[in-house]
Amino acid sequence: MKNILVTFLLFLFGGTYTISIAQSQEKTPVHVFITAGQSNTDGRVNNKLLPSYIKELATDTIDYKQGQYPFCKISQNRGDGLFVPYWPKGRITDGLWTYDAITYYQIDKALREDFYVVKWAVGGTSIGFPNDTVKGRYWSANPEWLKNTASSQKKGKSLLLSFTEAIDASIDQTLSKIEQGYHIDAFLWHQGESDDRYAGDYYKNLKAVISHVRTHLTQKTGKNYLNLPFVFGSIPKANRHYRAEVDAAMRCIAEEDANAYLIDMSQGELQKDRTHFNEVSAEYLGQEMFKVLNQILDLSSTGFRVAKYKDDKDCAISYTFDDGLIEHYTLVAPRMEKLGFRGTFWINGNKINKDATAIADTTRMTWAQLKEMSDRGHEISNHGWAHKNFSRFPLEEIKEDIYKNDSALFAWTGKMPRTFCYPNNNKKAEPMKIAVENRVGTRTFQRSIGSKSTPEDLEKWVNNLIKTNDWGVGMTHGITYGYDAFRNPQRFWDHLEKVKALDDKVWVGTFEEVAAYTKEQKQLTYEITPQKKGFTITPHLSLEKSLFTEPLTGVVMGSKKVTVRQGGKKLKTQVRDGKVLFDFDPFGGEIVVR
Ligand SMILES: [Zn+2]
């Protein structure tokens, strides 16, 4: 903590960072990054086109094939665990670079201390593999397949095993011997062009790769890497290997995985081969990757970051209830309110009773009850007017069904629904495009909480969310009757009490709140400018201001007496575990921290 504060003060007074030598006993673990992918990660831009700030570090000033970064050490496509000073080069030939050269350069400048990169990249390689795998090397994490092959390094077909074996060797040979210890900070990745043949499997395939690496690191080190940040870039639309399905898979993973950060490269420029980044897009991707890393890891040691979840909690849970059952009003809402929680209730307007004197369906709520719940802070949102299965109706009909429900909910509650829940969880591409318009999010993943839930399962779910810093979305229908109703509703009430006891770790928010927060948090960028006393933060957010209204939590480390102002107004601060927390408006302009 002290170390952070000292570095922080030095940053403020524009001093050098030499103090870190004097502070050697208190040094934090060295930073380690792991990088993998195909040709756009290996590097295909000529070193003569390196930005001038990197050329300055070259010792060969004709072809720029030699030189070294002051602090970055790399172990690239080698299985012996040894590192050399970093200079951009391709796997086979010197004199080629890509985005990571920029990212490491900026990390180098921000940290000003040794850090390590383990990289494995091979051009033209897919995750998916053909049925006939006589030739080739693949990234697949398919456990059956992995059992029957070896790493490409050992003449097998698995690139993933080459990558994890290289990481293991780096740990055994080098990293574990570093006195101050080490920490693997992030996984950088760009790949997918060669999966144009397996586009339909890309979602499943990439997810498995990420999970394989996180689990492997956790098992190898005994430390929790299940929440390892995964930072990746999409494929430019102009790329001849671009596939909409691969692109959609990447976006889906970025939305579902709280620790996955996707950089949109859809407009990226390419070389003449229509496959490889040119110097402009390579530099852009590298800079954007650094921005993400800097914001999640605070590499510049400014002492400031934006909390992943409200109040800097470890994870978030949204409890969602489908179909407008009367029990949601009589049982669920009061129970949740008692604990200070609010739920999300997904409604089909055609099933809601007009008023108490005209109950058409005794199992459902009335509009007045919905209005009451909305006024008390619950989210009342759109599940389609008539619960139509999207795969069975013409698009026009679905459109009308969605809009009709929006209008009814707006008329009765005074609030426009900003989320959507697919009837039958049917996520057909064309209707989905309509459903996501003017929303902060739609339910694309969920965990059933109902008839099959045991106390053990629920506890495991929550513990895992805490460990992986994820967002859990519960889906509940019946409480004592109806679809998937609990065998014993007490189980659910007990679960809610247990979650309440974890208040310092778990944020229980409505679907709209958490969807808005996490999107804003991932997309926010900011600059920090040191001032005489303190610093200013200038936030930028390109989301739709009228939809994304959730305040974000700012965190300042290692300071006690901090005042924060935004737009001339003093923001409320709270001190917890040696950090100062405050909520700010991401669209509210400059924030002054003193
Ligand atoms: Zn439903």
Side-chain angles (χ1 to χ4, degrees):
M1 193 56 59
K2 210 167 124 203
N3 195 15
I4 293 167
L5 182 59
V6 171
T7 321
F8 178 53
L9 290 173
L10 274 173
F11 173 80
L12 295 186
F13 298 119
T16 61
Y17 291 78
T18 46
I19 192 86
S20 56
I21 296 158
Q23 293 257 324
S24 59
Q25 304 100 315
E26 276 192 65
K27 265 192 164 181
T28 47
V30 295
H31 294 271
V32 180
F33 300 88
I34 57 175
T35 304
Q38 59 178 109
S39 54
N40 273 321
T41 296
D42 186 35
R44 293 293 182 266
V45 190
N46 195 296
N47 276 16
K48 287 179 184 168
L49 298 172
L50 276 165
S52 56
Y53 49 86
I54 293 180
K55 281 183 175 168
E56 280 170 23
L57 301 171
T59 48
D60 152 25
T61 53
I62 296 163
D63 296 317
Y64 301 97
K65 286 185 178 178
Q66 276 152 35
Q68 70 178 65
Y69 287 22
F71 300 103
C72 182
K73 313 276 179 278
I74 192 162
S75 189
Q76 180 175 356
N77 287 80
R78 56 195 289 168
D80 59 7
L82 301 180
F83 289 80
V84 295
Y86 178 75
W87 187 250
K89 71 185 279 295
R91 183 177 69 96
I92 299 168
T93 42
D94 288 349
L96 293 173
W97 66 280
T98 184
Y99 63 88
D100 64 336
I102 308 296
T103 312
Y104 308 149
Y105 173 84
Q106 291 186 318
I107 296 172
D108 209 280
K109 257 179 62 181
L111 290 178
R112 301 182 64 90
E113 63 176 34
D114 286 354
F115 68 99
Y116 297 80
V117 174
V118 183
K119 175 170 175 175
W120 203 282
V122 178
T125 54
S126 56
I127 304 178
F129 53 84
N131 289 328
D132 164 28
T133 56
V134 183
K135 271 190 182 174
R137 292 158 291 182
Y138 310 94
W139 291 100
S140 175
N142 181 317
E144 290 305 305
W145 183 74
L146 285 178
K147 245 187 260 162
N148 294 312
T149 187
S151 65
S152 58
Q153 182 76 353
K154 291 181 187 155
K155 310 262 181 273
K157 297 180 194 306
S158 172
L159 293 162
L160 193 57
L161 291 179
S162 293
F163 184 41
T164 52
E165 284 169 11
I167 296 168
D168 291 356
S170 301
I171 290 171
D172 297 339
Q173 290 304 315
T174 306
L175 300 175
S176 62
K177 294 174 185 161
I178 296 170
E179 207 180 323
Q180 66 200 80
Y182 70 93
H183 185 264
I184 301 168
D185 287 294
F187 179 3
L188 312 186
W189 170 270
H190 191 282
Q191 191 273 345
E193 297 93 332
S194 290
D195 278 285
D196 50 359
R197 290 162 291 169
Y198 316 105
D201 293 330
Y202 197 70
Y203 169 77
K204 188 183 76 203
N205 285 348
L206 179 58
K207 235 173 118 149
V209 168
I210 303 167
S211 160
H212 181 94
V213 171
R214 285 175 176 160
T215 310
H216 177 85
L217 295 179
T218 303
Q219 284 165 352
K220 168 75 183 167
T221 63
K223 290 186 260 182
N224 175 16
Y225 282 114
L226 299 175
N227 56 3
L228 180 73
F230 178 75
V231 187
F232 62 136
S234 67
I235 296 170
K237 283 200 171 132
N239 192 311
R240 63 195 173 92
H241 298 284
Y242 173 88
R243 292 292 177 276
E245 267 175 304
V246 169
D247 194 68
M250 289 180 179
R251 282 168 209 283
C252 199
I253 287 171
E255 194 163 321
E256 285 179 22
D257 183 329
N259 303 297
Y261 298 83
L262 178 65
I263 291 145
D264 181 3
M265 293 301 294
S266 55
Q267 304 307 317
E269 296 177 16
L270 298 168
Q271 299 182 34
K272 281 201 190 95
D273 60 13
R274 287 178 52 226
T275 300
H276 297 115
F277 292 132
N278 69 6
E279 67 278 16
V280 177
S281 51
E283 187 181 16
Y284 174 79
L285 178 56
Q287 283 170 341
E288 292 301 305
M289 285 213 171
F290 174 76
K291 264 192 213 164
V292 170
L293 294 175
N294 195 29
Q295 289 184 191
I296 55 181
L297 304 167
D298 188 25
L299 297 170
S300 311
S301 298
T302 60
F304 175 78
R305 64 187 164 80
V306 179
K308 175 158 234 161
Y309 297 107
K310 193 174 176 58
D311 293 334
D312 205 26
K313 295 189 183 181
D314 295 333
C315 69
I317 297 182
S318 299
Y319 292 100
T320 74
F321 303 87
D322 295 19
D323 304 349
L325 302 182
I326 180 72
E327 291 189 317
H328 298 163
Y329 171 80
T330 54
L331 297 178
V332 174
R335 286 271 184 171
M336 290 194 77
E337 285 163 31
K338 239 165 91 187
L339 300 169
F341 297 162
R342 293 297 180 273
T344 295
F345 298 86
W346 267 312
I347 305 302
N348 313 112
N350 79 329
K351 290 276 173 58
I352 298 303
N353 292 298
K354 206 149 192 206
D355 59 63
T357 60
I359 301 287
D361 183 345
T362 55
T363 69
R364 311 286 166 147
M365 291 190 251
T366 66
W367 286 109
Q369 287 166 338
L370 284 173
K371 159 83 172 142
E372 214 185 285
M373 282 178 25
S374 171
D375 289 347
R376 295 208 300 261
H378 296 283
E379 183 190 1
I380 308 299
S381 202
N382 196 339
H383 190 33
W385 174 256
H387 213 284
K388 281 188 170 155
N389 190 324
F390 281 5
S391 56
R392 291 191 205 143
F393 293 88
L395 207 55
E396 271 313 303
E397 212 170 302
I398 289 165
K399 204 176 192 172
E400 204 187 297
D401 180 88
I402 294 174
Y403 293 166
K404 187 172 179 182
N405 210 35
D406 271 341
S407 308
L409 287 165
F410 178 68
W412 280 97
T413 66
K415 288 175 202 154
M416 189 50 105
R418 290 308 184 199
T419 63
F420 189 85
C421 174
Y422 303 97
N424 307 88
N425 289 322
N426 186 304
K427 296 180 286 282
K428 212 181 156 197
E430 285 304 309
M432 233 177 140
K433 277 188 199 152
I434 300 164
V436 300
E437 259 174 56
N438 293 313
R439 317 253 179 216
V440 302
T442 65
R443 193 176 73 187
T444 55
F445 59 95
Q446 66 280 323
R447 182 201 172 84
S448 296
I449 300 179
S451 63
K452 292 188 193 75
S453 299
T454 67
E456 295 74 34
D457 285 345
L458 292 168
E459 195 172 338
K460 213 172 132 191
W461 177 55
V462 176
N463 288 339
N464 205 46
L465 291 173
I466 293 172
K467 244 193 263 165
T468 55
N469 304 133
D470 250 313
W471 173 26
V473 178
M475 173 183 77
T476 300
H477 288 78
I479 305 297
T480 66
Y481 66 86
Y483 178 74
D484 198 34
F486 293 92
R487 286 197 198 138
N488 174 6
Q490 190 57 39
R491 281 188 180 176
F492 187 46
W493 314 135
D494 289 346
H495 163 74
L496 291 178
E497 300 269 355
K498 278 201 176 140
V499 169
K500 180 66 188 175
L502 295 166
D503 213 15
D504 57 330
K505 294 190 174 73
V506 185
W507 171 31
V508 175
T510 65
F511 189 88
E512 180 182 2
E513 286 169 342
V514 183
Y517 188 103
T518 52
K519 274 197 191 149
E520 292 168 23
Q521 198 269 352
K522 272 190 179 176
Q523 295 196 21
L524 185 85
T525 61
Y526 54 80
E527 287 107 46
I528 294 192
T529 318
Q531 305 291 344
K532 249 188 208 152
K533 286 182 179 176
F535 55 92
T536 57
I537 305 153
T538 315
H540 311 278
L541 188 58
S542 57
L543 293 168
E544 175 52 47
K545 197 176 156 181
S546 62
L547 288 178
F548 290 85
T549 55
E550 211 38 40
L552 292 172
T553 302
V555 185
V556 178
M557 297 301 293
S559 314
K560 269 184 192 149
K561 281 184 190 162
V562 170
T563 59
V564 189
R565 285 173 178 279
Q566 186 180 32
K569 259 189 258 159
K570 202 170 158 187
L571 303 181
K572 222 171 108 186
T573 56
Q574 52 163 317
V575 182
R576 199 155 48 83
D577 310 328
K579 60 197 178 188
V580 179
L581 310 180
F582 59 90
D583 281 356
F584 68 93
D585 175 359
F587 298 104
E590 196 178 77
I591 301 157
V592 184
V593 182
R594 280 176 174 263

